[in-house]
Amino acid sequence: MFLVDYLFVDTRSHDFTDVVFVSTLTLPPYIFGRISRKLALQSEQLERQQTLIRDQAVRAERDRIARELHDVIAHSLCAMVVQTAAAQDLVRRSPDRADALLQSVADTGRKALEETGRLLHLIRDDVDELGLRPAPGLADVPTLVETFRENGLR
């Protein structure tokens, strides 16, 4: 409308300064709007990329912990099976050596449980993203007792 009015209706004489004046009124808001939109789009893209990178890092760390957990359990179980088989062979011939081997099996099992607990503690999260609740504490004892009673235990 302004252009039609300027070209056809307004009978005053027009020169280049009119174009400069109108440009100074219209171009800055237009440029500011374009820059704001571009920055907003870049900000959204950066947030998406950061989320993706964070998720990939979390997945990689969980995979590493899972591999470590698997290695610990597999190694410990393998050692326990070999030691138990050796103890079975020694039970009749050398009960003292068999007893020592069985003690070693128990120690290996305890170490594996400790390591498993440590690794599980690493992957447990405070926001319960994995659905793993933290280990019960002293404050949870009454609830645990009541749960056991409901299940028929004294």
Side-chain angles (χ1 to χ4, degrees):
M1 289 299 291
F2 286 121
L3 183 61
V4 170
D5 180 58
Y6 179 75
L7 293 176
F8 300 112
V9 177
D10 193 1
T11 57
R12 294 178 287 168
S13 66
H14 304 291
D15 60 4
F16 182 71
T17 60
D18 292 337
V19 173
V20 171
F21 176 73
V22 170
S23 296
T24 59
L25 291 177
T26 58
L27 284 180
Y30 173 77
I31 292 172
F32 179 74
R34 294 287 297 203
I35 290 172
S36 296
R37 182 180 172 133
K38 186 169 185 149
L39 289 175
L41 290 174
Q42 287 177 345
S43 176
E44 289 174 11
Q45 185 179 13
L46 281 174
E47 286 177 13
R48 284 192 306 270
Q49 288 175 345
Q50 287 174 344
T51 301
L52 181 64
I53 290 170
R54 185 183 65 242
D55 291 346
Q56 287 174 345
V58 167
R59 182 78 247 163
E61 181 63 13
R62 287 187 179 152
D63 288 346
R64 184 193 66 78
I65 291 171
R67 279 191 306 275
E68 190 174 333
L69 185 60
H70 174 267
D71 292 347
V72 166
I73 291 173
H75 172 73
S76 297
L77 287 176
C78 183
M80 291 168 66
V81 167
V82 169
Q83 290 172 340
T84 303
Q88 285 174 332
D89 290 341
L90 291 174
V91 164
R92 292 180 193 85
R93 288 184 283 146
S94 178
D96 293 338
R97 287 181 58 198
D99 186 48
L101 273 175
L102 290 173
Q103 182 61 41
S104 177
V105 169
D107 292 342
T108 302
R110 283 187 202 96
K111 287 178 188 174
L113 284 174
E114 289 173 7
E115 188 66 16
T116 301
R118 182 188 70 80
L119 290 171
L120 286 175
H121 179 71
L122 288 176
I123 61 173
R124 283 198 172 123
D125 54 338
D126 295 336
V127 293
D128 201 26
E129 179 182 314
L130 297 175
L132 300 172
R133 286 180 276 160
L138 287 177
D140 300 318
V141 169
T143 306
L144 290 172
V145 169
E146 186 60 34
T147 304
F148 285 124
R149 285 187 181 147
E150 288 172 2
N151 292 328
L153 298 173
R154 292 184 196 177

